[in-house]
Structures are given as structure tokens and as C-alpha cells.
């Protein structure tokens, strides 16, 4: 299992991820920021954000998982943009 597969499995099993509604607009904004400026800018964008506080908390958690595994920012962008799909993805369907 490579780092991306492992990351996806961790995300799918995480209770915070499962129970949090993620706005498509916020995920797109985070993905775009990641593409253009990298992970540090994503963290800066999310830290202290009062609106969408639960989403922000979980996205920062996911950012930490991505950075721990040294996932390239192009793949990190996909993870953020496709987070709702990852949450609901079932193998074999």
C-alpha cells in the first residue's frame, strides 16, 4: 500500500471526517490555494477561521496527515477537492 492509498483509508475511517459536512466551495478554495501556494498557505488560510469551524478543524487534521506522509501538493490538492467523494467511496462499486 502506498502513501496515498494509506492516506485515503485513514481519511475514510476517521470519525471526524465521517461526521463533518464539507462545503464544496470551501474544498475547492482549499484545493486551489494548495495548487498555487502550497501547504503552508493552506494552513494560514484555515487557521483562525471562525466560519465553518468544524470543517476547518478537520481540514487542518487532514493537512497534517498529508504532510506527515510527504504527499506531493498536486495529490494533496486532489485529496482536498475530492474529500466528499473519498468519504463516500466504497470499494467494488
Amino acid at each position: 500500500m502506498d502513501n496515498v492509498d494509506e492516506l485515503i483509508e485513514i481519511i475514510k475511517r476517521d470519525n471526524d471526517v465521517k461526521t463533518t459536512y464539507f462545503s464544496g466551495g470551501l474544498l475547492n478554495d482549499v484545493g486551489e490555494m494548495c495548487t498555487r501556494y502550497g501547504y503552508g498557505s493552506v494552513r494560514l488560510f484555515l487557521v483562525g477561521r471562525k466560519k465553518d469551524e468544524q470543517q476547518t478543524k478537520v481540514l487542518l487534521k487532514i493537512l497534517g496527515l498529508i504532510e506527515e506522509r510527504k504527499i506531493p501538493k498536486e495529490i494533496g490538492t486532489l485529496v482536498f477537492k475530492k474529500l466528499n467523494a473519498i468519504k463516500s467511496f466504497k470499494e467494488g462499486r
Side-chain angles (χ1 to χ4, degrees):
M1 179 179 288
D2 72 4
N3 283 344
V4 176
D5 289 332
E6 178 187 3
L7 175 66
I8 290 170
E9 286 304 313
I10 290 169
I11 290 171
K12 284 173 31 179
R13 289 191 310 254
D14 188 277
N15 284 330
D16 290 333
V17 173
K18 287 179 187 178
T19 59
T20 302
Y21 165 80
F22 294 100
S23 157
L26 179 59
L27 293 179
N28 190 56
D29 289 347
V30 169
E32 288 298 316
M33 182 153 300
C34 186
T35 296
R36 291 185 183 155
Y37 307 111
Y39 295 137
S41 294
V42 169
R43 180 175 292 101
L44 184 61
F45 175 72
L46 292 172
V47 168
R49 185 178 167 96
K50 296 296 180 197
K51 184 178 178 190
D52 313 313
E53 196 168 347
Q54 179 61 25
Q55 290 180 75
T56 299
K57 176 185 154 204
V58 179
L59 289 173
L60 284 167
K61 181 178 184 178
I62 292 169
L63 177 60
L65 293 170
I66 289 170
E67 289 180 312
E68 284 174 11
R69 285 158 185 75
K70 298 181 178 11
I71 304 291
K73 75 175 185 174
E74 296 81 8
I75 303 299
T77 296
L78 283 174
V79 169
F80 286 123
K81 286 189 168 191
K82 299 296 183 180
L83 188 56
N84 283 324
I86 291 169
K87 277 176 53 169
S88 62
F89 181 73
K90 305 280 190 240
E91 294 290 332
R93 286 191 176 184

